Amino acid sequence: MLRPSSYFTSLRFRLLAVSVIVVLVLSLATMWNTARALTQISIDDLSVSIRQTAETLNLAIAPHTSINDLRTIQVYLDELVDGADSRIVYLAVVDDEQHLILRTRRTPPTLPDPTVPLEQQIATGVAHVSQPVLLYGNRVGHLRYGLSTASYNEIRDKVIRHNVLVLLIALGILFILIGLVGLRMNRRVQPLIDATKALASGDMAARAPLAGRDEISYLAAVFNKMAHAVQERIADAEVRQAEIIALNDQLEQRVQERTADLQEMVKSLESFNRAVSHDLRGPLGGISGLAQLAAQALDRHDDSVARSALPVIARQAQVTESMLNSLLMLARVGDVTIEHQAVSLNEMVKDVIDQLTVSSQGLPMPRFVLHDLPTIETDPALLRPALLNLIGNAVKFSAKSAQPTVEIGALAGEESGFRTVYIKDNGPGFDPELVDTLFTPFVRLHGDQYEGHGVGLSIVRRAIHKLGGGVWAKAQPGMGATFYFTLPQSASLATQDRLLAGSRHAA
């Protein structure tokens, strides 16, 4: 995790430190060079002073030393040393054997070595000089004296103090300028830092403000370009991820649909095998037996048997045809291409009731209690056979009731996007524990008590599931049965929830 940098690790402190070091190095170099120059100037000036002083002293005391007028020389030397403006610290005269002849009051007991370099003597405050002088008797002695270098040291110290003061002022100004520049840089860089932190924390819309035309503005522009590219890539990745998820969902849904279709097909094939081996064997066996009896009777020229057998053969053939038509319809339901359109359930239910009334051939119909039904987007070619079988079963199973009644309506307050329709009869009902086998092909819970082949509810389930809905039933023995089915209100929901709609209400 990134932590805020301290002042001592900041760019502003580094800039200040480097600038101070550079200024100090330059200032110290300048001061050292100035001191060297002042020392050289002092040496040159002191050399000139030494020559001038030597000439003056030679002219003043040479006549007296040559005649051994030591008293006069002593007075003169004292006056030179004690003068207010005199730079001479002491004076002494030694003979050729270095014996002290004359000396002033401040002459050191041991005369310093005059051969020491002037640069070192200036540092001590006194420059020691020795020059030959002619003594009486033509002897050559030496005039030893010291010149004060305090003025040179004062000038040097004054220049150094002045340079130090200038250096301190320059450093102060430098501190102020670098502080202002650093503050300005910090104000310019801080928005870029904030934008970088925001981008790192997940705010893809974070951008750095652009101000000016310097390097920081260029860096901010490059950052904004990078952030925009990152945002576009993330958005593109999210879109692609959403597409992949949608494709996976569609693939999973198709797999579920195909699995459900295969399972239904397997069950249908198993039931079909049973039907072919059992249900169809009876009618076909009856037709075959009656046909043989009729043929034998005709051989005996007894057409009465043939006449009585032919109607039975026709009825058996009709039963067989009806069973085959049911199987064909069950197979066609799974292969139908869905075409959605607005369908009024009120009108379709009335058309189905009219069709059932016509096909009843004058037999009494139950009392229908019709409630208001919704209009939905669905495929009428699939919905119609489902309604035909559901209402037809209600009519068939309520026929033996004292007052046959069939009630058709829609539930109110259903979840958004789905409508539930129910068909209720007052027939014999069935055992609730057998509800799982109710929609299996060729399963007949009431045996031969009622006509049918046990295929109608299988058609209903396959058609409703194909439309994206679900179907289930509730009943009690002797208390009638109620069948429910749900359908999506719109075509978009039908494609998304083709398998899931039924499971919402299966519990």
Side-chain angles (χ1 to χ4, degrees), residues 351-426:
D351 290 342
V352 169
I353 292 175
D354 292 341
Q355 180 180 348
L356 292 173
T357 302
V358 171
S359 62
S360 67
Q361 299 179 354
L363 295 176
M365 295 291 289
R367 182 175 66 91
F368 288 97
V369 180
L370 302 180
H371 301 283
D372 187 42
L373 298 174
T375 298
I376 59 175
E377 291 184 10
T378 188
D379 189 340
L382 276 177
L383 180 59
R384 186 177 186 87
L387 285 175
L388 186 61
N389 280 280
L390 287 174
I391 299 176
N393 281 349
V395 171
K396 177 173 62 176
F397 286 107
S398 63
K400 296 181 180 182
S401 300
Q403 295 181 350
T405 304
V406 176
E407 181 181 354
I408 304 174
L411 299 181
E414 289 296 294
E415 57 183 292
S416 177
F418 285 85
R419 298 305 303 269
T420 301
V421 178
Y422 66 90
I423 300 172
K424 182 179 181 181
D425 63 67
N426 59 349

Side-chain angles (χ1 to χ4, degrees), residues 78-134:
D78 290 337
E79 289 178 355
L80 285 177
V81 173
D82 295 336
D85 297 330
S86 177
R87 294 176 55 192
I88 301 175
V89 178
Y90 69 91
L91 284 168
V93 179
V94 296
D95 58 14
D96 53 356
E97 295 180 357
Q98 299 300 315
H99 294 146
L100 190 60
I101 301 175
L102 293 174
R103 57 172 292 181
T104 60
R105 289 187 299 274
R106 288 182 291 178
T107 301
T110 302
L111 295 177
D113 184 8
T115 61
V116 176
L118 289 178
E119 183 177 356
Q120 298 180 11
Q121 296 187 47
I122 291 175
T124 63
V126 178
H128 304 283
V129 183
S130 176
Q131 67 180 42
V133 63
L134 184 63

Side-chain angles (χ1 to χ4, degrees), residues 44-324:
D44 295 341
D45 185 66
L46 185 59
S47 299
V48 173
S49 298
I50 289 173
R51 288 195 300 270
Q52 292 176 353
T53 303
E55 291 175 359
T56 301
L57 290 176
N58 273 329
L59 293 175
I61 69 173
H64 299 285
T65 57
S66 62
I67 62 173
N68 201 20
D69 188 4
L70 299 179
R71 181 179 296 275
T72 302
I73 295 174
Q74 182 71 51
V75 173
Y76 179 71
L77 293 179
D78 290 337
E79 289 178 355
L80 285 177
V81 173
D82 295 336
D85 297 330
S86 177
R87 294 176 55 192
I88 301 175
V89 178
Y90 69 91
L91 284 168
V93 179
V94 296
D95 58 14
D96 53 356
E97 295 180 357
Q98 299 300 315
H99 294 146
L100 190 60
I101 301 175
L102 293 174
R103 57 172 292 181
T104 60
R105 289 187 299 274
R106 288 182 291 178
T107 301
T110 302
L111 295 177
D113 184 8
T115 61
V116 176
L118 289 178
E119 183 177 356
Q120 298 180 11
Q121 296 187 47
I122 291 175
T124 63
V126 178
H128 304 283
V129 183
S130 176
Q131 67 180 42
V133 63
L134 184 63
L135 300 176
Y136 58 90
N138 293 324
R139 291 183 303 165
V140 178
H142 287 84
L143 178 64
R144 305 284 294 273
Y145 60 91
L147 292 179
S148 174
T149 61
S151 60
Y152 299 110
N153 292 333
E154 290 178 0
I155 293 173
R156 182 192 62 192
D157 294 341
K158 183 177 181 181
V159 171
I160 292 176
R161 287 195 300 270
H162 180 268
N163 288 341
V164 171
L165 180 60
V166 171
L167 174 62
L168 293 177
I169 294 175
L171 287 176
I173 295 174
L174 180 64
F175 286 153
I176 295 174
L177 291 178
I178 292 180
L180 293 176
V181 172
L183 183 61
R184 173 64 176 171
M185 289 180 61
N186 186 64
R187 290 179 179 176
R188 294 289 308 283
V189 174
Q190 190 61 43
L192 181 59
I193 295 176
D194 295 339
T196 304
K197 290 180 178 178
L199 184 65
S201 63
D203 184 8
M204 295 297 105
R207 297 293 185 272
L210 300 177
R213 302 176 62 183
D214 54 5
E215 292 83 355
I216 297 178
S217 298
Y218 177 76
L219 182 61
V222 173
F223 170 81
N224 291 341
K225 185 176 180 180
M226 178 197 68
H228 180 69
V230 171
Q231 185 178 18
E232 287 186 344
R233 291 184 180 180
I234 293 178
D236 184 61
E238 291 177 349
V239 171
R240 292 185 179 182
Q241 184 178 6
E243 292 176 352
I244 292 174
I245 293 175
L247 290 175
N248 289 336
D249 293 341
Q250 293 179 4
L251 179 60
E252 183 178 359
Q253 179 180 348
R254 291 180 181 178
V255 170
Q256 291 177 355
E257 290 179 357
R258 295 296 180 265
T259 302
D261 290 341
L262 289 174
Q263 291 176 349
E264 184 68 22
M265 185 179 299
V266 170
K267 292 180 180 179
S268 298
L269 289 174
E270 293 176 352
S271 299
F272 179 75
N273 290 334
R274 290 194 299 269
V276 171
S277 63
H278 181 269
D279 293 350
L280 289 180
R281 184 176 60 184
L284 291 177
I287 293 174
S288 176
L290 290 174
Q292 290 179 1
L293 291 175
Q296 293 174 1
L298 289 175
D299 290 340
R300 297 193 306 269
H301 302 285
D302 185 6
D303 59 350
S304 61
V305 175
R307 291 180 183 275
S308 60
L310 287 178
V312 177
I313 292 174
R315 286 196 298 271
Q316 293 294 335
Q318 290 176 357
V319 170
T320 304
E321 181 183 9
S322 175
M323 182 179 296
L324 293 176

